[in-house]
Amino acid sequence: MTSEAAPRARRPAVSRAGRAVDSILTLLAVGGSLCIVLVLLAVVFHVSIIMFKTGSMSPTIPTGSIALVQEVPADAVAVGDVVTVDRPGMLPVTHRVTSIVEDAAATASATAHARTLTLKGDANRSEDPAPYTVDSVKRVIFSVPGIAPLVAQASNPAVLGTTTVVMAGVVTWAFWPRRVRTKQDGTRRGGAALIVALVAVSASLAPQPTATLAAWTDPVSASAPFSARTISAPTLTGCTAANVLLVGGRVTITWTLPAGYTTSDIAYLLSSTGQASSLQTVPLSSSVATTGPATGGVYTTTFQGALLSNLLGGQVMVGVRTLDASSWVSADRLARATLPALVGTGTCTIL
Protein backbone atom coordinates (compact mmCIF):
# COMPACT_ATOMS: atom_id res chain seq x y z
CA MET A 1 0.00 0.00 0.00
CA THR A 2 2.80 2.35 0.92
CA SER A 3 4.81 1.73 -2.24
CA GLU A 4 1.88 2.56 -4.49
CA ALA A 5 0.86 5.70 -2.61
CA ALA A 6 3.84 7.78 -3.66
CA PRO A 7 3.35 7.41 -7.40
CA ARG A 8 -0.32 8.12 -7.04
CA ALA A 9 0.47 11.29 -5.09
CA ARG A 10 2.69 12.55 -7.89
CA ARG A 11 0.28 11.84 -10.75
CA PRO A 12 -2.06 14.84 -10.25
CA ALA A 13 0.86 17.28 -10.63
CA VAL A 14 2.16 15.45 -13.66
CA SER A 15 -1.34 15.30 -15.11
CA ARG A 16 -1.87 19.04 -14.66
CA ALA A 17 1.47 19.82 -16.34
CA GLY A 18 0.61 17.46 -19.17
CA ARG A 19 -2.77 19.08 -19.70
CA ALA A 20 -1.12 22.52 -19.79
CA VAL A 21 1.36 21.35 -22.43
CA ASP A 22 -1.43 19.73 -24.45
CA SER A 23 -3.53 22.91 -24.28
CA ILE A 24 -0.69 25.13 -25.50
CA LEU A 25 0.22 22.76 -28.31
CA THR A 26 -3.40 22.36 -29.35
CA LEU A 27 -4.01 26.14 -29.35
CA LEU A 28 -0.92 26.80 -31.46
CA ALA A 29 -1.70 23.91 -33.78
CA VAL A 30 -5.32 24.95 -34.37
CA GLY A 31 -4.54 28.64 -34.77
CA GLY A 32 -1.52 28.05 -36.97
CA SER A 33 -3.25 25.49 -39.15
CA LEU A 34 -4.80 28.45 -40.93
CA CYS A 35 -1.33 29.16 -42.32
CA ILE A 36 -1.19 25.67 -43.82
CA VAL A 37 -4.65 26.16 -45.31
CA LEU A 38 -3.63 29.52 -46.81
CA VAL A 39 -0.52 28.02 -48.35
CA LEU A 40 -2.58 25.27 -50.00
CA LEU A 41 -5.23 27.73 -51.18
CA ALA A 42 -2.60 30.10 -52.59
CA VAL A 43 -0.75 27.36 -54.47
CA VAL A 44 -3.69 25.31 -55.71
CA PHE A 45 -6.54 27.83 -56.06
CA HIS A 46 -4.63 31.17 -56.41
CA VAL A 47 -6.29 32.58 -53.29
CA SER A 48 -4.83 35.43 -51.24
CA ILE A 49 -5.78 38.08 -48.69
CA ILE A 50 -6.18 41.82 -49.32
CA MET A 51 -6.66 44.63 -46.79
CA PHE A 52 -8.88 47.68 -47.46
CA LYS A 53 -7.19 51.00 -46.66
CA THR A 54 -10.05 53.25 -47.85
CA GLY A 55 -13.82 53.14 -47.70
CA SER A 56 -15.47 53.72 -51.07
CA MET A 57 -16.79 50.13 -50.97
CA SER A 58 -18.71 50.94 -47.78
CA PRO A 59 -21.02 49.74 -46.40
CA THR A 60 -20.39 46.41 -48.18
CA ILE A 61 -16.66 46.39 -47.34
CA PRO A 62 -15.72 49.18 -44.90
CA THR A 63 -12.25 50.56 -44.24
CA GLY A 64 -10.12 48.16 -42.19
CA SER A 65 -11.67 45.01 -43.65
CA ILE A 66 -9.82 42.04 -45.05
CA ALA A 67 -11.09 40.00 -47.98
CA LEU A 68 -10.27 36.60 -49.38
CA VAL A 69 -9.79 36.93 -53.15
CA GLN A 70 -9.20 34.44 -55.95
CA GLU A 71 -7.38 35.23 -59.17
CA VAL A 72 -9.61 34.44 -62.17
CA PRO A 73 -9.52 35.22 -65.91
CA ALA A 74 -11.21 38.49 -66.82
CA ASP A 75 -13.75 36.68 -69.00
CA ALA A 76 -14.99 34.78 -65.91
CA VAL A 77 -16.15 38.00 -64.25
CA ALA A 78 -19.79 39.10 -64.24
CA VAL A 79 -21.38 42.50 -63.72
CA GLY A 80 -21.89 42.98 -59.98
CA ASP A 81 -18.72 41.13 -58.92
CA VAL A 82 -16.30 42.97 -56.64
CA VAL A 83 -12.82 42.64 -58.13
CA THR A 84 -9.28 43.84 -57.49
CA VAL A 85 -7.42 45.28 -60.48
CA ASP A 86 -3.65 45.75 -60.44
CA ARG A 87 -2.26 49.13 -61.49
CA PRO A 88 1.43 49.45 -62.44
CA GLY A 89 3.33 51.59 -59.93
CA MET A 90 0.26 52.08 -57.72
CA LEU A 91 -1.79 50.19 -55.17
CA PRO A 92 -4.45 47.94 -56.73
CA VAL A 93 -8.04 49.18 -56.70
CA THR A 94 -11.02 47.09 -55.55
CA HIS A 95 -14.45 48.11 -56.87
CA ARG A 96 -17.63 46.57 -58.25
CA VAL A 97 -17.93 45.73 -61.96
CA THR A 98 -20.58 47.85 -63.71
CA SER A 99 -19.92 46.88 -67.33
CA ILE A 100 -17.80 44.47 -69.36
CA VAL A 101 -16.70 45.00 -72.95
CA GLU A 102 -15.01 42.46 -75.21
CA ASP A 103 -13.63 44.97 -77.68
CA ALA A 104 -10.93 44.56 -80.29
CA ALA A 105 -8.39 46.51 -78.25
CA ALA A 106 -8.91 44.29 -75.22
CA THR A 107 -8.69 41.07 -77.19
CA ALA A 108 -5.59 42.17 -79.07
CA SER A 109 -3.84 43.35 -75.90
CA ALA A 110 -2.88 39.94 -74.60
CA THR A 111 -5.05 36.82 -74.64
CA ALA A 112 -8.58 35.75 -75.42
CA HIS A 113 -9.38 36.26 -71.71
CA ALA A 114 -8.82 40.02 -71.93
CA ARG A 115 -11.76 42.29 -71.19
CA THR A 116 -12.32 45.99 -70.61
CA LEU A 117 -14.01 46.50 -67.23
CA THR A 118 -15.72 49.59 -65.88
CA LEU A 119 -15.65 49.74 -62.08
CA LYS A 120 -17.43 51.77 -59.41
CA GLY A 121 -17.16 51.93 -55.63
CA ASP A 122 -20.44 51.31 -53.82
CA ALA A 123 -20.05 54.60 -51.93
CA ASN A 124 -19.05 56.59 -55.03
CA ARG A 125 -21.53 58.61 -57.07
CA SER A 126 -19.59 58.09 -60.29
CA GLU A 127 -17.65 55.33 -61.98
CA ASP A 128 -13.86 55.19 -61.99
CA PRO A 129 -12.37 57.82 -64.33
CA ALA A 130 -11.13 55.28 -66.89
CA PRO A 131 -11.93 51.62 -67.67
CA TYR A 132 -9.38 48.86 -67.07
CA THR A 133 -8.23 46.49 -69.82
CA VAL A 134 -7.06 43.34 -68.02
CA ASP A 135 -6.36 39.65 -68.63
CA SER A 136 -7.12 38.58 -65.06
CA VAL A 137 -8.49 40.02 -61.82
CA LYS A 138 -8.82 38.97 -58.18
CA ARG A 139 -12.46 38.36 -57.36
CA VAL A 140 -13.61 38.89 -53.77
CA ILE A 141 -14.98 35.68 -52.21
CA PHE A 142 -15.89 37.10 -48.80
CA SER A 143 -14.74 39.84 -46.44
CA VAL A 144 -14.38 40.32 -42.70
CA PRO A 145 -14.64 43.88 -41.32
CA GLY A 146 -12.36 45.48 -38.75
CA ILE A 147 -9.47 43.04 -38.52
CA ALA A 148 -7.07 44.44 -41.13
CA PRO A 149 -4.93 46.20 -38.47
CA LEU A 150 -4.51 42.92 -36.56
CA VAL A 151 -3.61 41.03 -39.73
CA ALA A 152 -1.13 43.74 -40.69
CA GLN A 153 0.55 43.50 -37.29
CA ALA A 154 0.66 39.70 -37.50
CA SER A 155 2.32 39.99 -40.91
CA ASN A 156 5.09 42.15 -39.49
CA PRO A 157 8.50 40.42 -39.94
CA ALA A 158 9.31 40.95 -36.25
CA VAL A 159 6.06 39.30 -35.18
CA LEU A 160 6.56 36.40 -37.60
CA GLY A 161 10.11 35.88 -36.35
CA THR A 162 9.04 35.95 -32.71
CA THR A 163 6.21 33.50 -33.41
CA THR A 164 8.59 31.10 -35.14
CA VAL A 165 11.02 31.24 -32.21
CA VAL A 166 8.21 30.62 -29.71
CA MET A 167 6.89 27.67 -31.71
CA ALA A 168 10.37 26.21 -31.96
CA GLY A 169 10.71 26.54 -28.19
CA VAL A 170 7.39 24.81 -27.62
CA VAL A 171 8.38 21.96 -29.93
CA THR A 172 11.71 21.55 -28.10
CA TRP A 173 9.97 21.60 -24.73
CA ALA A 174 7.38 19.04 -25.83
CA PHE A 175 10.01 16.59 -27.01
CA TRP A 176 12.39 17.15 -24.08
CA PRO A 177 12.87 13.89 -22.09
CA ARG A 178 10.99 13.68 -18.78
CA ARG A 179 11.20 11.10 -16.02
CA VAL A 180 7.41 10.73 -15.82
CA ARG A 181 5.62 10.39 -19.15
CA THR A 182 3.23 7.74 -20.35
CA LYS A 183 3.44 6.38 -23.82
CA GLN A 184 0.06 7.89 -24.61
CA ASP A 185 1.14 11.34 -23.43
CA GLY A 186 4.33 11.18 -25.48
CA THR A 187 2.48 10.17 -28.62
CA ARG A 188 -0.14 12.87 -28.20
CA ARG A 189 2.37 15.64 -27.50
CA GLY A 190 4.66 14.46 -30.24
CA GLY A 191 1.82 14.63 -32.77
CA ALA A 192 0.78 18.11 -31.65
CA ALA A 193 4.40 19.28 -31.66
CA LEU A 194 4.79 17.99 -35.21
CA ILE A 195 1.80 20.08 -36.26
CA VAL A 196 3.32 23.13 -34.60
CA ALA A 197 6.60 22.50 -36.43
CA LEU A 198 4.72 22.34 -39.73
CA VAL A 199 2.94 25.56 -38.85
CA ALA A 200 6.24 27.30 -38.11
CA VAL A 201 7.48 26.37 -41.58
CA SER A 202 4.24 27.20 -43.37
CA ALA A 203 3.98 30.59 -41.64
CA SER A 204 6.99 31.75 -43.63
CA LEU A 205 5.46 30.42 -46.83
CA ALA A 206 1.93 31.72 -46.35
CA PRO A 207 0.93 34.54 -48.76
CA GLN A 208 1.26 37.94 -47.11
CA PRO A 209 -1.83 40.19 -47.13
CA THR A 210 -1.60 43.05 -49.63
CA ALA A 211 -3.17 46.50 -49.39
CA THR A 212 -5.81 47.72 -51.81
CA LEU A 213 -7.53 51.03 -52.39
CA ALA A 214 -11.27 51.39 -52.64
CA ALA A 215 -10.67 54.82 -54.18
CA TRP A 216 -13.02 57.77 -53.98
CA THR A 217 -14.07 59.04 -57.41
CA ASP A 218 -16.87 61.46 -56.55
CA PRO A 219 -16.92 64.56 -58.77
CA VAL A 220 -15.63 67.68 -57.03
CA SER A 221 -16.32 71.29 -57.93
CA ALA A 222 -14.38 74.26 -56.63
CA SER A 223 -14.55 78.01 -57.04
CA ALA A 224 -12.26 80.90 -56.21
CA PRO A 225 -12.26 84.61 -56.97
CA PHE A 226 -9.82 85.83 -59.58
CA SER A 227 -9.26 89.04 -61.44
CA ALA A 228 -7.98 89.64 -64.95
CA ARG A 229 -5.23 92.15 -65.53
CA THR A 230 -4.29 93.86 -68.74
CA ILE A 231 -0.82 95.33 -69.10
CA SER A 232 -0.98 98.64 -70.93
CA ALA A 233 1.11 98.84 -74.09
CA PRO A 234 3.06 101.83 -75.42
CA THR A 235 1.39 103.90 -78.14
CA LEU A 236 3.15 104.28 -81.49
CA THR A 237 2.73 107.81 -82.87
CA GLY A 238 4.96 107.76 -85.94
CA CYS A 239 7.36 105.75 -88.12
CA THR A 240 9.94 106.57 -90.82
CA ALA A 241 12.34 104.39 -92.86
CA ALA A 242 15.42 105.09 -95.00
CA ASN A 243 18.50 103.39 -96.37
CA VAL A 244 21.63 105.39 -95.62
CA LEU A 245 24.57 105.00 -98.01
CA LEU A 246 27.30 102.77 -96.57
CA VAL A 247 25.41 102.54 -93.29
CA GLY A 248 22.35 100.48 -94.09
CA GLY A 249 18.72 100.60 -93.21
CA ARG A 250 17.40 102.90 -90.52
CA VAL A 251 13.91 102.77 -89.01
CA THR A 252 12.75 105.36 -86.51
CA ILE A 253 9.59 105.15 -84.43
CA THR A 254 8.02 107.59 -82.01
CA TRP A 255 5.94 106.43 -79.10
CA THR A 256 4.57 107.33 -75.67
CA LEU A 257 4.75 105.48 -72.37
CA PRO A 258 1.65 103.89 -70.82
CA ALA A 259 0.57 105.44 -67.51
CA GLY A 260 2.46 104.15 -64.49
CA TYR A 261 5.53 102.85 -66.37
CA THR A 262 9.01 104.17 -67.16
CA THR A 263 11.43 103.56 -70.04
CA SER A 264 13.09 100.80 -68.00
CA ASP A 265 9.83 98.83 -68.38
CA ILE A 266 10.00 98.91 -72.20
CA ALA A 267 11.37 96.09 -74.38
CA TYR A 268 12.46 96.75 -77.97
CA LEU A 269 11.59 94.32 -80.79
CA LEU A 270 13.21 93.69 -84.18
CA SER A 271 12.65 91.30 -87.09
CA SER A 272 15.13 91.69 -89.98
CA THR A 273 12.82 89.60 -92.20
CA GLY A 274 9.75 91.75 -91.64
CA GLN A 275 7.79 88.81 -90.15
CA ALA A 276 6.31 88.74 -86.66
CA SER A 277 7.31 85.09 -86.27
CA SER A 278 11.00 86.09 -86.19
CA LEU A 279 10.71 89.00 -83.75
CA GLN A 280 13.46 89.17 -81.15
CA THR A 281 14.02 91.34 -78.11
CA VAL A 282 17.05 93.59 -78.60
CA PRO A 283 18.83 95.68 -75.93
CA LEU A 284 19.56 99.37 -76.12
CA SER A 285 22.96 99.89 -77.75
CA SER A 286 24.66 101.88 -80.46
CA SER A 287 22.34 100.14 -82.92
CA VAL A 288 19.16 100.72 -80.92
CA ALA A 289 18.93 104.11 -79.22
CA THR A 290 16.09 105.95 -77.49
CA THR A 291 15.86 109.70 -76.80
CA GLY A 292 13.22 111.79 -75.06
CA PRO A 293 10.81 112.57 -73.80
CA ALA A 294 10.00 115.43 -76.10
CA THR A 295 6.92 117.61 -75.97
CA GLY A 296 3.86 115.55 -75.09
CA GLY A 297 5.95 112.77 -73.56
CA VAL A 298 7.04 111.45 -76.95
CA TYR A 299 10.10 109.18 -77.15
CA THR A 300 12.11 108.43 -80.30
CA THR A 301 13.80 105.10 -80.92
CA THR A 302 16.13 104.49 -83.87
CA PHE A 303 16.97 100.98 -85.10
CA GLN A 304 20.07 101.10 -87.27
CA GLY A 305 23.23 99.09 -86.79
CA ALA A 306 21.43 95.74 -86.81
CA LEU A 307 19.92 96.45 -90.24
CA LEU A 308 23.07 96.06 -92.38
CA SER A 309 21.61 92.91 -93.83
CA ASN A 310 19.05 95.15 -95.56
CA LEU A 311 21.67 97.18 -97.42
CA LEU A 312 20.09 96.12 -100.71
CA GLY A 313 16.58 96.81 -99.51
CA GLY A 314 13.81 94.68 -98.09
CA GLN A 315 11.39 94.67 -95.18
CA VAL A 316 12.01 94.93 -91.45
CA MET A 317 9.67 95.00 -88.49
CA VAL A 318 10.30 96.94 -85.29
CA GLY A 319 8.27 97.56 -82.18
CA VAL A 320 7.99 98.00 -78.40
CA ARG A 321 6.16 96.29 -75.54
CA THR A 322 5.68 96.86 -71.80
CA LEU A 323 7.26 94.53 -69.21
CA ASP A 324 5.36 94.41 -65.91
CA ALA A 325 6.94 93.63 -62.53
CA SER A 326 4.68 90.55 -62.32
CA SER A 327 6.50 89.14 -65.41
CA TRP A 328 3.42 89.70 -67.52
CA VAL A 329 3.84 91.60 -70.79
CA SER A 330 1.64 93.84 -72.87
CA ALA A 331 0.60 93.40 -76.45
CA ASP A 332 3.26 94.28 -79.02
CA ARG A 333 3.08 97.60 -80.80
CA LEU A 334 4.69 97.10 -84.23
CA ALA A 335 5.58 98.88 -87.42
CA ARG A 336 6.68 97.37 -90.73
CA ALA A 337 9.15 99.26 -92.92
CA THR A 338 10.10 98.75 -96.57
CA LEU A 339 13.64 99.88 -97.33
CA PRO A 340 14.94 100.87 -100.78
CA ALA A 341 18.21 99.50 -102.22
CA LEU A 342 21.45 101.24 -101.21
CA VAL A 343 20.09 104.69 -100.45
CA GLY A 344 16.80 106.56 -100.26
CA THR A 345 13.63 106.98 -98.26
CA GLY A 346 11.39 104.02 -97.71
CA THR A 347 7.90 103.52 -96.36
CA CYS A 348 6.80 102.61 -92.83
CA THR A 349 3.38 101.52 -91.62
CA ILE A 350 2.16 101.25 -88.04
CA LEU A 351 0.38 97.90 -87.65
Side-chain angles (χ1 to χ4, degrees):
M1 297 294 293
T2 304
S3 62
E4 295 180 357
R8 288 178 181 175
R10 289 194 298 268
R11 281 177 187 170
V14 174
S15 179
R16 284 195 296 271
R19 284 197 297 270
V21 172
D22 290 342
S23 297
I24 294 173
L25 290 174
T26 302
L27 180 62
L28 292 175
V30 171
S33 295
L34 293 175
C35 293
I36 300 175
V37 173
L38 284 177
V39 170
L40 294 176
L41 290 175
V43 173
V44 179
F45 299 105
H46 306 289
V47 170
S48 58
I49 293 175
I50 59 173
M51 300 181 293
F52 284 75
K53 301 185 66 175
T54 52
S56 72
M57 278 304 297
S58 299
T60 309
I61 308 177
T63 304
S65 300
I66 68 164
L68 195 68
V69 296
Q70 181 181 23
E71 186 172 0
V72 297
D75 60 356
V77 173
V79 172
D81 288 344
V82 178
V83 300
T84 298
V85 176
D86 291 327
R87 300 182 296 175
M90 305 171 64
L91 284 177
V93 64
T94 303
H95 278 168
R96 194 177 300 278
V97 179
T98 58
S99 68
I100 303 172
V101 177
E102 184 183 1
D103 55 14
T107 303
S109 66
T111 68
H113 298 298
R115 295 292 184 273
T116 297
L117 308 179
T118 302
L119 305 182
K120 176 181 175 296
D122 288 359
N124 290 343
R125 287 181 293 175
S126 61
E127 295 174 332
D128 291 4
Y132 306 90
T133 298
V134 290
D135 300 325
S136 64
V137 298
K138 295 175 182 177
R139 182 166 53 195
V140 173
I141 302 173
F142 68 86
S143 63
V144 181
I147 66 171
L150 297 177
V151 174
Q153 288 297 327
S155 302
N156 187 286
V159 175
L160 288 175
T162 302
T163 302
T164 302
V165 171
V166 171
M167 288 182 175
V170 171
V171 171
T172 303
W173 181 49
F175 280 110
W176 197 262
R178 291 175 176 79
R179 286 179 294 177
V180 180
R181 174 183 290 177
T182 65
K183 181 177 180 181
Q184 183 179 0
D185 289 341
T187 302
R188 183 169 62 252
R189 293 177 195 173
L194 179 60
I195 294 177
V196 173
L198 291 175
V199 169
V201 174
S202 62
S204 62
L205 300 176
Q208 298 301 308
T210 57
T212 183
L213 292 179
W216 297 103
T217 58
D218 289 349
V220 176
S221 60
S223 62
F226 70 95
S227 59
R229 184 180 180 187
T230 302
I231 307 302
S232 300
T235 301
L236 291 186
T237 59
C239 175
T240 61
N243 215 338
V244 180
L245 183 65
L246 301 179
V247 175
R250 174 187 295 168
V251 179
T252 302
I253 58 173
T254 55
W255 52 276
T256 58
L257 279 169
Y261 294 93
T262 68
T263 53
S264 62
D265 300 316
I266 302 301
Y268 301 92
L269 309 172
L270 170 65
S271 168
S272 58
T273 65
Q275 303 300 316
S277 58
S278 59
L279 275 173
Q280 294 183 344
T281 303
V282 292
L284 289 173
S285 63
S286 59
S287 300
V288 182
T290 294
T291 59
T295 304
V298 176
Y299 291 84
T300 300
T301 300
T302 300
F303 298 80
Q304 181 169 315
L307 306 181
L308 289 175
S309 59
N310 296 98
L311 188 62
L312 299 179
Q315 285 190 335
V316 296
M317 182 178 288
V318 298
V320 287
R321 70 163 67 120
T322 306
L323 301 177
D324 188 72
S326 64
S327 299
W328 287 25
V329 299
S330 72
D332 296 338
R333 293 293 182 256
L334 304 172
R336 180 179 284 116
T338 301
L339 300 172
L342 297 178
V343 63
T345 302
T347 61
C348 189
T349 305
I350 297 175
L351 302 178

